[in-house]
Amino acid sequence: MGSAAYTFEGYALILPIATAMRRPQKISLLLVLVMTLCAILAIAVGGLSYAAFGSTTQPIIILNMPSQSAITQTLRIIYGLAIIGTTPLMMFPTFKLLEPLLFGGRSGKVSLSVKAGKTVFRLSMIIAVLFVAAKGIERLDRLVAIIGGVACVPLAFVYPPLLHLRVFGSGSSLRARWICVSNWIIVVCGVCLSFYVTFGAISLKADAPKELVDQVVSELNALEQKIPFVIRSRCGKTVTQRGQQYTHALLVELESGDQLQTYADHPDHQTVLSKIKNIISEPTLAMDF
């Protein structure tokens, strides 16, 4: 739910794009065409992914694909380039909103100190975003879901009706009353949806589907065929209650202790590790000997 709500992030760009257009009166047509295309792509990618992987579908579909495949590597590169290319565009509304509060109406074109101050401010914002991303990379799906619930849902369902109320909601006519009631209904629903999505993102996971757990166990057992210096990799479900809250155990034997970090950083290990983090909520216990 949170990952789906994250798709509303682009709503913040509508007004800046309309302001920058040569013919802003065409924004309605452009918005309809773009939203239709995005909806078709989202439904197609989501539907085809679930049809291919079923209940084992990951929130980030690339995690379901073979890590060493040329197609997977190409998709990762394209995705990274897309993030790099759209970051300035996504940060633009933030700068436009906050810079007037910090620098007033002063322009960096006529004042070198103002230009330097704006540059430092923008760089600081980008570093802050990078810091949050670095901290959340271990649970990227949960970070995306939290952002979707806290920021993107209000952006789509709370702020627009409030702005519409501000412009058209005054008056005592029947139309004005209808605008007021309908917009407040949308606001209330948006706030409830935001709380629901955010709570679902930060709450503990329910028991993972058995099919997904079995797939992860199978992939862990297959590491000895994929990683040359792994002598043995055995994963299985505990058969007694002596393990307390732990349900599965993994034993990996390497040729040398010096290869431990290489094993930890190996792409095949990282791929299955990301799947493990998506299906467990309890702390894990690891020992190296």
Short mmCIF file of all heavy atoms in Angstrom, two decimals, residues 1-8 59 141 144-149 152-153 157 192-201:
data_model
loop_
_atom_site.label_atom_id
_atom_site.label_comp_id
_atom_site.label_asym_id
_atom_site.label_seq_id
_atom_site.Cartn_x
_atom_site.Cartn_y
_atom_site.Cartn_z
N MET A 1 0.82 -1.20 0.00
CA MET A 1 0.00 0.00 0.00
C MET A 1 0.86 1.26 0.00
O MET A 1 0.63 2.20 -0.75
CB MET A 1 -0.92 -0.01 1.21
CG MET A 1 -1.84 1.21 1.32
SD MET A 1 -3.12 1.28 0.06
CE MET A 1 -4.24 0.06 0.73
N GLY A 2 1.89 1.28 0.88
CA GLY A 2 2.75 2.44 0.95
C GLY A 2 3.55 2.67 -0.32
O GLY A 2 3.74 3.81 -0.76
N SER A 3 4.03 1.56 -0.92
CA SER A 3 4.77 1.69 -2.16
C SER A 3 3.88 2.22 -3.28
O SER A 3 4.33 3.01 -4.13
CB SER A 3 5.35 0.33 -2.56
OG SER A 3 6.24 -0.15 -1.57
N ALA A 4 2.62 1.81 -3.29
CA ALA A 4 1.68 2.33 -4.29
C ALA A 4 1.42 3.82 -4.05
O ALA A 4 1.34 4.62 -4.99
CB ALA A 4 0.38 1.54 -4.23
N ALA A 5 1.30 4.21 -2.77
CA ALA A 5 1.06 5.62 -2.45
C ALA A 5 2.25 6.48 -2.85
O ALA A 5 2.08 7.68 -3.14
CB ALA A 5 0.77 5.78 -0.96
N TYR A 6 3.44 5.89 -2.88
CA TYR A 6 4.64 6.66 -3.25
C TYR A 6 4.55 7.20 -4.67
O TYR A 6 5.22 8.18 -5.01
CB TYR A 6 5.87 5.77 -3.09
CG TYR A 6 7.18 6.49 -3.29
CD1 TYR A 6 7.70 7.31 -2.28
CD2 TYR A 6 7.90 6.36 -4.46
CE1 TYR A 6 8.90 7.98 -2.45
CE2 TYR A 6 9.10 7.03 -4.65
CZ TYR A 6 9.60 7.83 -3.64
OH TYR A 6 10.78 8.49 -3.82
N THR A 7 3.73 6.57 -5.51
CA THR A 7 3.60 7.04 -6.89
C THR A 7 2.95 8.41 -6.98
O THR A 7 2.98 9.04 -8.04
CB THR A 7 2.77 6.04 -7.71
OG1 THR A 7 1.46 5.88 -7.12
CG2 THR A 7 3.44 4.68 -7.76
N PHE A 8 2.37 8.89 -5.87
CA PHE A 8 1.77 10.23 -5.88
C PHE A 8 2.81 11.34 -5.72
O PHE A 8 2.45 12.51 -5.66
CB PHE A 8 0.74 10.36 -4.75
CG PHE A 8 -0.45 9.46 -4.90
CD1 PHE A 8 -0.89 8.70 -3.82
CD2 PHE A 8 -1.12 9.36 -6.10
CE1 PHE A 8 -1.99 7.86 -3.95
CE2 PHE A 8 -2.21 8.51 -6.23
CZ PHE A 8 -2.65 7.77 -5.17
N PRO A 59 8.43 -6.04 -3.20
CA PRO A 59 8.00 -4.65 -3.43
C PRO A 59 8.80 -3.97 -4.52
O PRO A 59 8.28 -3.11 -5.24
CB PRO A 59 8.26 -3.99 -2.06
CG PRO A 59 8.20 -5.10 -1.07
CD PRO A 59 8.76 -6.29 -1.79
N ASP A 141 12.10 -0.88 0.97
CA ASP A 141 10.66 -0.99 0.77
C ASP A 141 9.89 -0.29 1.89
O ASP A 141 8.88 0.38 1.64
CB ASP A 141 10.25 -2.46 0.67
CG ASP A 141 10.64 -3.25 1.92
OD1 ASP A 141 11.70 -2.97 2.50
OD2 ASP A 141 9.86 -4.14 2.31
N VAL A 144 10.28 3.59 1.51
CA VAL A 144 9.39 4.09 0.44
C VAL A 144 7.94 4.12 0.92
O VAL A 144 7.21 5.07 0.66
CB VAL A 144 9.54 3.20 -0.82
CG1 VAL A 144 8.45 3.52 -1.83
CG2 VAL A 144 10.91 3.42 -1.45
N ALA A 145 7.54 3.08 1.66
CA ALA A 145 6.16 3.02 2.16
C ALA A 145 5.88 4.13 3.17
O ALA A 145 4.79 4.74 3.15
CB ALA A 145 5.89 1.65 2.77
N ILE A 146 6.84 4.40 4.05
CA ILE A 146 6.65 5.47 5.04
C ILE A 146 6.55 6.83 4.35
O ILE A 146 5.69 7.66 4.69
CB ILE A 146 7.80 5.46 6.06
CG1 ILE A 146 7.71 4.20 6.93
CG2 ILE A 146 7.77 6.71 6.93
CD1 ILE A 146 8.87 4.03 7.88
N ILE A 147 7.42 7.08 3.38
CA ILE A 147 7.35 8.34 2.63
C ILE A 147 6.01 8.45 1.91
O ILE A 147 5.39 9.51 1.87
CB ILE A 147 8.51 8.43 1.63
CG1 ILE A 147 9.84 8.51 2.36
CG2 ILE A 147 8.34 9.65 0.71
CD1 ILE A 147 11.05 8.47 1.46
N GLY A 148 5.54 7.33 1.36
CA GLY A 148 4.25 7.33 0.69
C GLY A 148 3.12 7.71 1.62
O GLY A 148 2.23 8.49 1.25
N GLY A 149 3.13 7.15 2.85
CA GLY A 149 2.06 7.45 3.80
C GLY A 149 2.13 8.83 4.39
O GLY A 149 1.12 9.53 4.52
N CYS A 152 3.24 11.50 0.50
CA CYS A 152 2.61 11.42 -0.82
C CYS A 152 1.08 11.35 -0.75
O CYS A 152 0.40 11.93 -1.60
CB CYS A 152 3.16 10.21 -1.58
SG CYS A 152 4.93 10.33 -1.90
N VAL A 153 0.53 10.63 0.23
CA VAL A 153 -0.93 10.59 0.36
C VAL A 153 -1.51 11.97 0.66
O VAL A 153 -2.47 12.39 0.00
CB VAL A 153 -1.35 9.56 1.44
CG1 VAL A 153 -2.84 9.68 1.73
CG2 VAL A 153 -1.03 8.15 0.97
N PHE A 157 -4.33 13.82 -1.62
CA PHE A 157 -5.72 13.82 -1.16
C PHE A 157 -6.04 14.87 -0.08
O PHE A 157 -7.22 15.04 0.24
CB PHE A 157 -6.08 12.44 -0.60
CG PHE A 157 -6.01 11.34 -1.62
CD1 PHE A 157 -4.98 10.42 -1.60
CD2 PHE A 157 -6.98 11.23 -2.60
CE1 PHE A 157 -4.91 9.41 -2.54
CE2 PHE A 157 -6.92 10.23 -3.55
CZ PHE A 157 -5.89 9.31 -3.53
N CYS A 192 -7.15 9.84 7.03
CA CYS A 192 -7.30 8.46 7.50
C CYS A 192 -6.43 7.51 6.69
O CYS A 192 -5.78 6.61 7.25
CB CYS A 192 -8.77 8.03 7.41
SG CYS A 192 -9.88 8.91 8.54
N LEU A 193 -6.40 7.72 5.37
CA LEU A 193 -5.57 6.87 4.52
C LEU A 193 -4.09 7.05 4.84
O LEU A 193 -3.32 6.08 4.86
CB LEU A 193 -5.83 7.19 3.05
CG LEU A 193 -5.06 6.36 2.01
CD1 LEU A 193 -5.41 4.89 2.14
CD2 LEU A 193 -5.36 6.87 0.60
N SER A 194 -3.70 8.28 5.13
CA SER A 194 -2.30 8.55 5.47
C SER A 194 -1.90 7.82 6.75
O SER A 194 -0.84 7.19 6.81
CB SER A 194 -2.09 10.06 5.64
OG SER A 194 -0.76 10.34 6.02
N PHE A 195 -2.75 7.88 7.78
CA PHE A 195 -2.47 7.16 9.02
C PHE A 195 -2.42 5.65 8.78
O PHE A 195 -1.56 4.95 9.32
CB PHE A 195 -3.52 7.50 10.08
CG PHE A 195 -3.23 8.76 10.84
CD1 PHE A 195 -3.95 9.92 10.58
CD2 PHE A 195 -2.24 8.79 11.81
CE1 PHE A 195 -3.68 11.08 11.28
CE2 PHE A 195 -1.96 9.95 12.51
CZ PHE A 195 -2.69 11.10 12.24
N TYR A 196 -3.36 5.14 7.99
CA TYR A 196 -3.42 3.71 7.73
C TYR A 196 -2.17 3.22 7.01
O TYR A 196 -1.56 2.20 7.41
CB TYR A 196 -4.66 3.40 6.90
CG TYR A 196 -4.77 1.95 6.46
CD1 TYR A 196 -5.16 0.95 7.35
CD2 TYR A 196 -4.46 1.59 5.15
CE1 TYR A 196 -5.24 -0.36 6.95
CE2 TYR A 196 -4.54 0.27 4.75
CZ TYR A 196 -4.93 -0.71 5.65
OH TYR A 196 -5.00 -2.01 5.23
N VAL A 197 -1.76 3.94 5.97
CA VAL A 197 -0.59 3.54 5.18
C VAL A 197 0.68 3.63 6.03
O VAL A 197 1.52 2.73 6.01
CB VAL A 197 -0.47 4.40 3.92
CG1 VAL A 197 0.85 4.13 3.20
CG2 VAL A 197 -1.64 4.13 2.98
N THR A 198 0.81 4.73 6.79
CA THR A 198 2.00 4.91 7.61
C THR A 198 2.09 3.85 8.70
O THR A 198 3.16 3.27 8.94
CB THR A 198 2.00 6.31 8.25
OG1 THR A 198 1.88 7.30 7.22
CG2 THR A 198 3.28 6.55 9.03
N PHE A 199 0.97 3.57 9.36
CA PHE A 199 0.96 2.54 10.41
C PHE A 199 1.31 1.18 9.83
O PHE A 199 2.05 0.41 10.43
CB PHE A 199 -0.40 2.49 11.09
CG PHE A 199 -0.51 1.44 12.16
CD1 PHE A 199 0.05 1.64 13.41
CD2 PHE A 199 -1.16 0.24 11.91
CE1 PHE A 199 -0.04 0.67 14.39
CE2 PHE A 199 -1.24 -0.74 12.88
CZ PHE A 199 -0.68 -0.52 14.13
N GLY A 200 0.77 0.89 8.65
CA GLY A 200 1.08 -0.39 8.02
C GLY A 200 2.54 -0.52 7.65
O GLY A 200 3.10 -1.62 7.65
N ALA A 201 3.18 0.62 7.36
CA ALA A 201 4.59 0.59 6.97
C ALA A 201 5.52 0.40 8.17
O ALA A 201 6.56 -0.26 8.06
CB ALA A 201 4.96 1.87 6.23
#
